[in-house]
Amino acid sequence: MLLLNRGHKVAVLAIDPSSTRTGGSILGDKTRMHDLSLEESAYIRPSPSGGHLGGIAQATAESAALCEAAGFDITIIETVGVGQSETAVSEMVDMVLLLMPPAAGDDLQGMKKGIVELADLLVVNKADGELLAKARHTQSDYRHALQLLRPKYPFWSPKVLRCSSLPPTDKERGVDDSIAAVWDTVCEFREALEESHTIEAIRKNQREQMMWREIESQVRWLADNSTDPFLLSELKQVHIALDENRLAPRHAARRVLKALLRAETTSFEN
């Protein structure tokens, strides 16, 4: 609501985890963001992750591009809870904001190095009431930890802020604990990207990464949907060899890829 009051059009792409057993997702983000969903300048799209790794859905990058083309000047991608190796979201956004609860783990045991290394801003939320002291402790831990990591950009050192959505009634809380302060830091980072002309390089890398993700997706689709007799026979033999532990997964992948290329070449020639 803060961004809408400042004249922005905001799109929220919320990714819900899918059940590994049934494949279903709750998709209750519009209910959770009820007031925002009623605003004409806001768009909320809940999407199931569909088992896609990285905390995102398969078409998240394309959805973000469509939102930008539709006139939304701010697109927020809310990922599922990501682990230290699930960092795909960093390849489709201009800024990575890592939101953490107070006392996330035992001191630095809760530090997910992979995603922390890619974060441009870390925010400890729920910094109010009984959790204020824990939030300060978590903020201090991550500030010290970041000193051991190499910054992603030479012109920007990631900051660690506290944040609370409640009104600042506690005298011990300062203005830096507000959502407005977090957004001001986001704007500061955006200005640094533009002044250093880094934003162009980021977008170029995003398009390239999107291309490779699509190639991977298309290869899997072709393997699953091909009717080529040679490819189907090779897939069957590879599965049997894998089940009997007679073929390493890497070699199996190479055999399938060669069979797929042969099948597609034959299809093209015909």
Side-chain angles (χ1 to χ4, degrees), residues 39-206:
E39 297 289 334
E40 292 185 0
S41 297
Y43 171 71
I44 303 173
R45 177 183 173 84
S47 301
S49 65
H52 193 77
L53 298 179
I56 57 174
Q58 183 174 358
T60 300
E62 290 85 350
S63 298
L66 286 173
C67 289
E68 186 174 12
F72 292 94
D73 56 329
I74 298 174
T75 300
I76 300 173
I77 300 177
E78 182 185 88
T79 70
V80 301
V82 295
Q84 52 188 20
S85 63
E86 297 182 355
T87 55
V89 68
S90 66
E91 299 173 352
M92 60 183 66
V93 296
D94 301 329
M95 180 182 194
V96 177
L97 190 155
L98 180 60
L99 193 64
M100 303 169 295
D106 298 328
D107 296 326
L108 293 184
Q109 293 299 318
M111 178 176 174
K112 299 177 179 179
K113 185 178 179 182
I115 191 65
V116 170
E117 285 181 325
L118 296 174
D120 304 300
L121 175 62
L122 290 81
V123 178
V124 183
N125 67 343
K126 302 180 181 179
D128 51 61
E130 297 180 355
L131 293 176
L132 180 57
K134 290 184 178 180
R136 287 175 173 167
H137 182 68
T138 303
Q139 180 187 32
S140 177
D141 283 344
Y142 275 87
R143 279 179 172 171
H144 286 94
L146 286 177
Q147 295 177 3
L148 304 177
L149 301 179
R150 180 179 299 177
K152 189 163 61 172
Y153 303 111
F155 55 83
W156 180 262
S157 296
K159 299 181 180 182
V160 185
L161 304 180
R162 298 191 309 270
C163 178
S164 172
S165 61
L166 299 180
T169 55
D170 193 330
K171 292 183 179 180
E172 293 185 359
R173 286 176 51 203
V175 295
D176 290 342
D177 292 346
S178 67
I179 296 177
V182 173
W183 178 248
D184 290 342
T185 305
V186 172
C187 294
E188 182 184 347
F189 175 75
R190 174 73 183 193
E191 292 174 1
L193 285 180
E194 292 177 345
E195 291 175 358
S196 63
H197 304 289
T198 307
I199 189 70
E200 293 87 352
I202 290 177
R203 293 299 177 90
K204 180 180 179 180
N205 180 67
Q206 289 174 357

Side-chain angles (χ1 to χ4, degrees), residues 16-26 48:
D16 273 4
S18 298
S19 169
T20 56
R21 186 170 62 88
T22 65
S25 297
I26 297 177

